Amino acid sequence: MPFAPIPKSLADLRRVPHLGNYEEARRTFSWEAARAELDGLPGGQGLNIAHEAVDRHACGPRRNKIALRWLGKNGESRDIRYDELGESTSRFANVLDQLGIVAGDRIYALLGRIPELYIAALGTLKHRSVFCPLFSAFGPEPIRARLQIGQGRVLVTTPELYTKKIAPLWAQLPDLEHVLVVGQPPAAGPAIHDLRALLERASSKYRIPPTDPDDQALLHFTSGTTGTPKGAIHVHAAVIAHQATGKLALDLHDEDIFWCTADPGWVTGTSYGIIAPLACGVTSIIDEADFEARRWYGILQDERVSVWYTAPTAIRSLMRVGTETAREYDLRPLRFLASVGEPLNPEAVVWGREAFGRPFHDNWWQTETGGIMIANYAALEVRPGSMGRPLPGIEAALVETLADGTIREITCPDEQGELALRPGWPSMFRGYWNEPARYAKCFASGYYLTGDLARRDADGYYWFVGRKDDVIKTSGHLIGPFEVESLLMEHPAVAEAGVIGKPDPVALEIVKAFVVLKPGRIGDAALMRDLLGFGRQRLGAAVAPKEIAFVESLPKTRSGKILRRLLKARELGLPEGDVSTLESA
Ligand code: ATP
Ligand code: MG
């Protein structure tokens, strides 16, 4: 890749943040005003994600701007301008029409991060069918389960993935009528199509039909960290939140080069890897390859990425490689760094400053919320270890569910409670697919209950404590694993840690830590003693780990979250439960 020229001046990169004054932004923000920043379909025909993300730019001043810069895993690259994206997504929508697909049908993608994934996603949205991305590394069982749950009618995939994963399953998928293959179809038949040939023959003009903002648009499966993944349904109105949070939380400006490293198989990779940057009209980088430290630094440098949205697991991996490696690259254009998916250890925030001259900005949200809800902002002080403050337009609270099912709101600073949100923001999920009872259980006393525990400090910053299921009860204390993991990471020998509660006849549970060491460190008895002492000294005897195990790696979901329930099941010799999203599955 050629060495990219350094921008004219650094001042050129210092944009005025969209959100400058938090209190004022909260006071003045309204979802109606955010909606008014979008175009809406011509003639007042409603609101469609693909129109806002693509078509309005494709026929406006951004038509020649690069919408997506795709970097292939073998060194090739392809730029897709907004007008091209407009045409190819129209072709895809026309293909769906030709196949007799109707609004509301589910279109699945089982693809790596190749251009057709993005074309299929946006083409599906134009067509008003429902897009459901699957992570391409899934094994046959999670694929079967998700296709069956959502009754997928069309699947877009590659010849290799078809042969390996779909052909053996198809007989169990009575709803799956068409497979669109990117490349030479490996089998013949009326239901298997060569997608590129179909796209070529289809018209590049497509008029998006009237779209109700409440029409279903996306079906996203959760990460499966706490159990069987749930299919969360989102509607076209979600784009209002995608665009607003792209601006307010990620501070996207027209000139930005944005890179969201998440795979669209997870909600982050769709909301912020596809929709938000395009809705904001920026150029987005897509890397087909998997994480590799030098490759990532190379992309940040060569593509002059200015806003980078990534995840704690990747940041921790970069930290393991060391600050010196980061310093070998010219990363001056990088002006805003954000992280999501898991709690971001304070150590990692601070490391951002060391390695990039800027902190990472943690933000919090879920598949169910469709977009960022709580964030650290470009213009505001970052409190390392805190997820930040609620977005304008988002009413967050901490609550306790009482024995009679009612809710007590927690108002005291630093008291812990379940994080709850007042429904009403546009990207809120509208159901779990085919599981109305499970959906209904998420709401109480006018709140959506997130299942996460947090506390709020006196200045209104939220601090993640843990998932309700992961919290450890020991000798009358409630301990969030994150606090213990973060502390352990401050020890110079520790790269990563996962903490669980292990049943104990006296204390109810004791804190047990699984620790991955930095390269070159040896997990011997001396280090064990040192770490146990370090924990006791810094956390106090009640909270400190009583047991430590050195491990090579931690079990994680494919989206990079530590699977504490699996650490626990393995520790206790219990069934492993749903492991469909386990990294090595
Ligand atoms: P499942 O619901 O199937 O168990 P999951 O909750 O991991 O899986 P996602 O919707 O992908 O599925 O993840 C959202 C969850 O990730 C949040 O509820 C929270 O527990 C965690 N999370 C996301 N961002 C942060 C953050 N910045 N700090 C702490 N936790 C976070
Ligand atoms: Mg969840």
Side-chain angles (χ1 to χ4, degrees), residues 22 62 127 146 181 190 239 268 310 342 544 558:
Y22 178 75
R62 294 194 183 94
H127 183 264
R146 286 162 180 74
V181 181
V239 69
T268 308
T310 189
E342 271 202 303
R558 292 203 177 274

Side-chain angles (χ1 to χ4, degrees), residues 221-230 266-268 312 339-344 362-369 374 386-387 432 438 448 450-452 464-467 469 482 557 559 561 565:
F221 285 91
T222 59
S223 293
T225 314
T226 50
T228 315
K230 301 148 274 191
W266 311 115
V267 71
T268 308
S339 164
V340 72
E342 271 202 303
L344 183 64
D362 187 17
N363 57 52
W364 176 95
W365 57 291
Q366 308 178 303
T367 308
E368 290 85 344
T369 71
I374 297 181
S386 160
M387 341 193 257
Y432 285 128
R438 201 173 190 181
Y448 161 62
T450 67
D452 283 346
F464 185 79
V465 171
R467 292 158 184 274
D469 299 9
F482 171 55
T557 65
S559 50
K561 296 165 194 276
R565 70 175 161 90

Side-chain angles (χ1 to χ4, degrees), residues 390-404:
L391 262 286
I394 299 300
E395 295 302 326
L398 295 174
V399 302
E400 180 193 5
T401 305
L402 303 174
D404 64 359

Side-chain angles (χ1 to χ4, degrees), residues 491-525:
H491 189 283
V494 176
E496 205 165 23
V499 165
I500 61 162
K502 181 177 170 183
D504 180 85
V506 179
L508 194 62
E509 286 185 313
I510 57 155
V511 177
K512 171 152 191 177
F514 295 82
V515 169
V516 180
L517 295 175
K518 285 196 178 138
R521 305 302 291 248
I522 296 165
D524 54 16

